[in-house]
Amino acid sequence: MKENRGILLMDIINYLKEHENKDMLRFLTCGSVDDGKSTLIGRMLYDSKMIFDDQLAAAEGESKKYGTTGEKIDMALLVDGLQSEREQGITIDVAYRFFATENRKFIIADTPGHEQYTRNMVTGASTADVAIILIDARKGILTQTRRHSFIVNLLGIEHVIVAINKMDLVDFSEEVYKKISQAYGELANELGIKSTYYIPVSALNGDNVVDPSQKTPWYQGETLLGLLDTMDISKEQKAEDFRFPVQYVNRPNLDFRGFCGTIAAGSVKVGDEITVLPSGKSTKVKSIINAGDITEANREATIQEAYAPMAVTLTTEDEVDISRGDMLVHTESLPAVSNNLKVMLVWMDEKPMTPGKSYDIKRATSVVSGSFEHINYKVDVNTYEREEVTTLELNDIASCRMVLTRPMAADAYTDNRLTGSFIVVDRITNNTVGAGMIVSVSRRNTETITKEYSDAEKELNAYVRKHFPEWDCKAI
């Protein structure tokens, strides 16, 4: 009996180790309402046998009540979890699903197609490596297709799979497939999308989703799951682009002071010269501690090198002032540091954004007060035209000039998605009201930041902010 338990335990440990070392690929589905996004995910999970019996039984019951596919199981109900989603047959919130194959682990974000929920789509796309854009074969490219393609490109997703769905309703016509592929190719060129892949599918019947379809002999490419399973999404990591946002200062006793966090990019070695930003003070790495290597027998375990995305603790040779929110970088490869940034902002709140109002800007582990001093232009995501506006409404996307009360290391979003992005938090309600991407350091300076205030002015400012938060006074 004990022997069997030992074998079972080893099997579990080996299984977990095998999964731990697999690649992770995050992807989202987007497209117009009723293009079949949720159905496609449900079909993928069903055909790859990733649905538990109780989930399947529940979906069968729900299909009789809300289903839109006749006697068949409505695959969308395997993903749409909200009652209002099932009743209306649309996706409202972002739904995440996890599954794994022999080669890879996947996290799927099922995002809504309706324009009203663009902010939800942006949320799902912000962490995705690959986007699947569904196009209804009967309708071709729609306004939503253009809008979602723009957002996908804006958020730096380099790989776009165009799943031309509902091919069963156009008799699996090769001509329709080629026509839509060509039209989207022109759109991708207009936006500058790097890699596009085209697959004719029928999510309802499972054609070319997990298994190749016999009805499309003219298509010799991979199935959708086959492509996701083998796609190369690796990016070249440059050691000199080391970025380490400090999350926590670990000081258990007088003899130890370590700086904990997750390496956002690049790598670092013991002895490397590093600089603390925004203070600009430099020191050298004394030791690197990886918690996973520490055992009861060896509590002093250290490593010589660490790289992204490892979570480690660094100690330094000198007693340098380093706090949560600071960024450690290689001294020989310093990013720009500024409080005046050009950004792309997605507004996510019902209350409009007006220039000059103070918000908390949260980037990686740092939180800084700031405001949007000027709206350069708003982008009409349907036509890609630029408009001059004075405020931003819900779901608006605009280029703005952001001014912070203190400088921060500013990586462009295109170079580093983690350190080049931020969220905007309302200081009164503490709600997340926007998300943004750093484009570059703005060339303009503002008088607001460069002005030196007297002690009396600073005290008055602090008094007003403490006792009259509703006045929305900016910190100086």
Side-chain angles (χ1 to χ4, degrees), residues 2 6-7 10 18 26 30 42 72 81 86 88 114 116 231 238 246 303 353:
K2 283 185 178 178
I7 293 172
M10 285 305 298
E18 183 186 333
R26 294 170 179 265
C30 44
K72 298 178 182 176
R86 297 181 176 216
Q88 298 180 62
H114 198 282
Q116 181 184 351
M231 182 181 285
K238 296 179 181 176
V246 177
I303 55 178
M353 189 284 280

Side-chain angles (χ1 to χ4, degrees), residues 37-54:
K37 299 179 291 298
S38 301
T39 304
L40 181 70
I41 294 174
R43 170 59 68 180
M44 195 182 298
L45 295 174
Y46 180 79
D47 284 358
S48 55
K49 298 181 175 51
M50 296 294 167
I51 303 292
F52 295 113
D53 288 344
D54 58 335

Side-chain angles (χ1 to χ4, degrees), residues 202-412:
S202 169
L204 181 65
N205 299 318
D207 293 282
N208 290 326
V209 178
V210 174
D211 302 312
S213 173
Q214 302 297 320
K215 299 167 185 170
T216 54
W218 41 266
Y219 175 73
Q220 302 299 321
E222 293 267 14
T223 62
L224 181 58
L225 184 60
L227 181 59
L228 290 169
D229 213 17
T230 56
M231 182 181 285
D232 181 13
I233 57 164
S234 59
K235 290 183 179 176
E236 186 182 356
Q237 289 276 351
K238 296 179 181 176
E240 63 269 23
D241 292 337
F242 171 63
R243 299 287 184 271
F244 186 76
V246 177
Q247 186 174 9
Y248 175 66
V249 180
N250 186 7
R251 191 169 174 78
N253 54 56
L254 292 175
D255 300 325
F256 183 88
R257 192 161 74 108
F259 308 100
C260 313
T262 300
I263 300 175
S267 62
V268 65
K269 295 178 183 175
V270 173
D272 280 358
E273 193 164 339
I274 56 173
T275 295
V276 185
L277 296 177
S279 69
K281 294 175 182 173
S282 296
T283 182
K284 286 186 177 180
V285 177
K286 183 179 179 183
S287 65
I288 304 172
I289 302 165
N290 180 21
D293 295 336
I294 295 177
T295 61
E296 284 294 329
N298 184 9
R299 295 190 174 190
E300 306 294 329
T302 59
I303 55 178
Q304 291 299 308
E305 183 178 8
Y307 47 84
M310 290 177 68
V312 295
T313 298
L314 303 183
T315 63
T316 55
E317 290 189 354
D318 308 301
E319 289 292 329
V320 179
D321 181 10
I322 302 174
S323 335
R324 173 183 166 85
D326 288 342
M327 179 97 73
L328 306 185
V329 302
H330 277 142
T331 303
E332 295 180 354
S333 179
L334 295 176
V337 177
S338 176
N339 57 9
N340 201 334
L341 305 171
K342 182 180 178 184
V343 302
M344 289 298 291
L345 180 67
V346 181
W347 195 244
M348 299 179 165
D349 196 33
E350 303 278 353
K351 196 175 177 181
M353 189 284 280
T354 51
K357 182 178 177 180
S358 290
Y359 298 97
D360 282 340
I361 308 299
K362 187 174 182 184
R363 196 284 310 269
T365 57
S366 64
V367 180
V368 184
S369 296
S371 62
F372 299 96
E373 292 294 301
H374 180 67
I375 302 173
N376 300 323
Y377 59 84
K378 172 191 150 186
V379 181
D380 185 329
V381 291
N382 298 327
T383 62
Y384 307 156
E385 291 180 353
R386 297 180 178 183
E387 304 173 12
E388 285 191 14
V389 293
T390 54
T391 60
L392 292 183
E393 306 289 336
L394 175 66
N395 294 321
D396 280 352
I397 298 176
S399 168
C400 302
R401 184 156 60 93
M402 183 172 75
V403 178
L404 306 173
T405 52
R406 66 182 175 90
M408 67 162 56
D411 282 314

